[in-house]
Amino acid sequence: MKVLIADDEPLARERLRMLLSAHGDVVVVAESGDGQATLDACARAQPDVVLLDIAMPGIDGLDVARHLARLEPRPAVVFCTAYDSHALSAFEAAAIDYLMKPVRGERLATALERARTFLAGRVGAAVPAAAGRRVLCARLRGNLRLIPLEDVFYLQAEEKYVVVHHVHGEDLIEESLRSLEEEFGTRFVRIHRNCLVSRGRLQELRRTAAGQVQAVLRGVAQPLEVSRRCVAALKAELAGT
């Protein structure tokens, strides 16, 4: 059973390594100290189990778990944390167990047994949208990159991908524009059959000399084309802000 240890504290990782050494069928395939590094390590090592801290620099463990739960096959996630206040959120993110630090050997053994049961029957089921994603996940040369929703300007469909235009550039994600609209309808509004824009970035509508309506977004130099069927809804959107 391949295990990845994700914790920003070296001593905590060392303790988990020591406890895992008592289990002959377990091998530690990777370690990481922050959320992004954990996603990258999972993409490379493809662990069966992730022992995951919650309070890590950058992307926290809860968001990491939500995205790991969308992989197929998905790893078993066991949270190892010093706080008990995140237990409900942890199980909403599809964790199979929740261990309090300092982790005790017998509790870790129980969690590993649950992981074995999970691995025997896993089907790669995804976390439901109710988990409340705050980030989008893109693949880049074998790694996973998380894009916070507040950094997104607009989403544009291109063939079977969606291009995420955000403050740090552009990334491709393998999700449909329709599913993103259904999940994030309170955050994004449709301006065209192939484009959703951030409601918070929508600044004004502008009509060109040729009569075409365009949407102007804060932070985006080039106005975006608005389809005729979306104009009335967008005017109402701006009137209400």
Side-chain angles (χ1 to χ4, degrees), residues 69-70 74 124-128:
R70 295 174 186 274
R74 62 187 177 102
V127 169

Side-chain angles (χ1 to χ4, degrees), residues 73-129:
R74 62 187 177 102
V77 171
V78 176
F79 280 110
C80 303
T81 178
Y83 307 99
D84 60 6
S85 57
H86 297 294
L88 178 59
S89 296
F91 289 110
E92 288 176 346
I96 66 164
D97 210 339
Y98 190 92
L99 308 184
M100 296 295 297
K101 293 179 179 178
V103 175
R104 294 180 291 111
E106 56 269 29
R107 276 294 288 120
L108 180 59
T110 299
L112 292 175
E113 193 55 41
R114 288 181 178 176
R116 293 183 185 93
T117 301
F118 168 82
L119 294 171
R122 67 181 173 184
V123 293
V127 169

Side-chain angles (χ1 to χ4, degrees), residues 8 33-37 54-61 63-64 134-135 146 148:
D8 63 328
D34 62 64
Q36 184 63 61
I54 290 180
M56 293 191 295
I59 306 161
D60 69 20
D63 272 333
V64 169
R134 299 192 300 275
V135 289
L146 293 192

Side-chain angles (χ1 to χ4, degrees), residues 165-185:
H165 298 261
H166 54 90
V167 295
H168 299 296
E170 301 176 5
D171 284 289
L172 295 178
I173 60 174
E174 298 177 359
E175 301 187 53
S176 73
L177 202 64
R178 180 182 295 276
S179 68
L180 291 167
E181 183 179 28
E182 291 174 353
E183 184 173 359
F184 302 115

Side-chain angles (χ1 to χ4, degrees), residues 44-61:
R44 291 191 303 270
Q46 299 185 342
D48 300 309
V49 182
V50 179
L51 301 181
L52 182 61
D53 189 18
I54 290 180
M56 293 191 295
I59 306 161
D60 69 20

